[in-house]
Amino acid sequence: MNNKTIQLKCPITIISELVVQEPKAKHLRGLKIGFDGIEMEMVLELAGTLTGQLPAVIDELSIEDMAELGRTVIDFLPSGLIPAGKQASAT
């Protein structure tokens, strides 16, 4: 399993880094996600699940740290996912 660790630029109380585990299908169950246009609520939920942190901790991340965490989480996802309920564009 590949884990990634990100250092928080604005640590929360005693948390200065988060270890993000590589997601499995069970982590995506029930989420309406896609590669483009992923809703922030879904990114936050998946980030909390993959880091093992409560929503209250994720909610307190700075925008800069949340952006880094969001990019890290999204990097684990395979390309080509589309938002639930949307059709793939014909190119």
Side-chain angles (χ1 to χ4, degrees):
M1 181 179 301
N2 296 321
N3 290 339
K4 296 182 180 180
T5 300
I6 61 169
Q7 296 294 319
L8 301 180
K9 291 181 175 59
C10 302
I12 304 168
T13 55
I14 61 170
I15 301 170
S16 62
E17 69 179 24
L18 295 172
V19 175
V20 183
Q21 67 178 336
E22 185 175 1
K24 296 182 180 181
K26 67 182 179 182
H27 294 119
L28 304 179
R29 188 180 311 280
L31 298 178
K32 297 176 184 174
I33 65 170
F35 188 74
D36 289 321
I38 299 174
E39 295 178 16
M40 181 57 72
E41 180 63 31
M42 293 173 194
V43 173
L44 293 174
E45 185 174 339
L46 187 57
T49 299
L50 299 180
T51 61
Q53 294 296 322
L54 295 172
V57 172
I58 298 299
D59 288 348
E60 292 301 316
L61 291 173
S62 70
I63 298 299
E64 188 175 18
D65 285 332
M66 183 58 244
E68 177 67 20
L69 179 57
R71 283 189 296 273
T72 302
V73 168
I74 297 305
D75 283 348
F76 278 121
L77 302 177
S79 63
L81 291 177
I82 59 170
K86 293 189 177 180
Q87 298 290 329
S89 60
T91 54

